[in-house]
């Protein structure tokens, strides 16, 4: 949110059904919401639809928000967005199985590095690393994907993840540990499919 | 830290370097959000309205039943004794006892 934006007055006007203030609020929060939605987007969902769902929830629950110094508004919105995404991920009936043949040459180079078949990381664009990381994360169960995305990809502290998800700090750490173990198993299983193709 | 964890962290570090995508709000997004967030225009249905609708429904059913009875009775309209004496007596006794 921009510095000159007066959040308190805007929220008050939104609660008084001021459409202009509501529009300003959407404009201010859009970058934050779309960043979260893109990080936790189910495979078949459209990011705009999910972002819209987050905003609709936000407006329907805005009267429940209480301004507190320890809970900034952006944090409250992030929590709402993360939970909406988690629900959308859970609603995804089955995750598509990833096979070696689905990978591009660059994806395969990264995967070879991850399963220790290549000695050094491939000198390829960061977008390729991002692509294979996202493909692997999409194979995980929604809570596992969420915790790894927040912890590893977005580098959020455990305490903040606990606040965003409503899980305890211990649960966040345990989930992250198990999720990484599953990732290793997934990467190895994926590499093995290469031998049969 | 296992070998995989070290390599995973290296991959993740590289993935983080991928630039952020465009975060400009698409045209018309706010309008569609506000349209969806608007509460429905129709007022909530009161108990009085429900009762009124139910009453009209019941009246309609009674009117239909009367029409059906009248239609069934119509062929015997000119008949001097439309009801059998036995039935007539039973009905008269019932009415009297009430």
């Amino acid at each position: 949110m921009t510095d000159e934006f007066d959040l308190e007055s805007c929220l008050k006007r939104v609660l008084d059904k001021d459409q202009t203030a509501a529009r300003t609020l959407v404009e201010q929060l859009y970058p934050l919401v779309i960043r979260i939605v893109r990080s936790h987007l189910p495979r078949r969902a459209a990011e705009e639809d999910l972002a819209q769902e987050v905003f609709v929830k936000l407006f329907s629950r805005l009267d429940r928000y209480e301004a507190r110094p320890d809970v900034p508004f952006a944090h409250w919105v992030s929590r709402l967005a993360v939970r909406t995404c988690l629900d959308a991920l859970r609603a995804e009936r089955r995750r598509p199985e990833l096979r070696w043949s689905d990978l591009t040459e660059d994806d395969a180079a990264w995967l070879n590095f991850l399963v220790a078949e290549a000695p050094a990381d491939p000198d390829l664009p960061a977008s390729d690393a991002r692509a294979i990381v996202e493909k692997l994360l999409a194979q995980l169960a929604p809570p596992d994907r969420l915790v790894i995305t927040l912890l590893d990809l977005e580098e959020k502290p455990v305490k903040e993840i606990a606040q965003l998800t409503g899980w305890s700090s211990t649960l966040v750490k345990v989930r992250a540990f198990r999720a990484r173990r599953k990732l290793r198993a997934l990467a190895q299983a994926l590499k093995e499919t290469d031998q049969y193709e | 830290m296992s070998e995989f964890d070290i390599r995973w962290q290296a991959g993740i570090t590289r993935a983080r370097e991928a630039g952020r995508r465009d975060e400009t709000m698409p045209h018309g997004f706010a309008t569609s959000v506000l349209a969806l967030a608007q509460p429905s225009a129709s007022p909530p249905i009161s108990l009085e309205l429900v009762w009124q609708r139910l009453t009209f429904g019941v009246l309609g059913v009674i009117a239909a039943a009367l029409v059906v009875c009248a239609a069934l009775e119509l062929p015997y309209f000119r008949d001097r004794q439309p009801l059998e004496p036995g039935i007539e007596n039973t009905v008269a006794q019932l009415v009297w006892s009430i």
Side-chain angles (χ1 to χ4, degrees), chain A residues 13-14 16-24, chain B residues 34-35 38:
Chain A
R13 285 190 293 136
V14 171
D16 289 339
K17 313 279 178 219
D18 182 339
Q19 293 283 301
T20 317
R23 193 175 289 271
T24 312
Chain B
L34 295 183
Q38 288 260 347

Side-chain angles (χ1 to χ4, degrees), chain B residues 35-72:
Chain B
L36 285 169
Q38 288 260 347
S40 115
S42 57
I45 299 172
S46 65
L47 193 65
E48 192 184 343
L49 195 68
V50 172
W51 182 245
Q52 197 180 25
R53 282 182 189 174
L54 192 71
T55 313
F56 280 130
V58 170
L59 276 174
V61 170
I62 290 170
L66 280 173
V67 169
V68 170
C69 288
L72 288 172

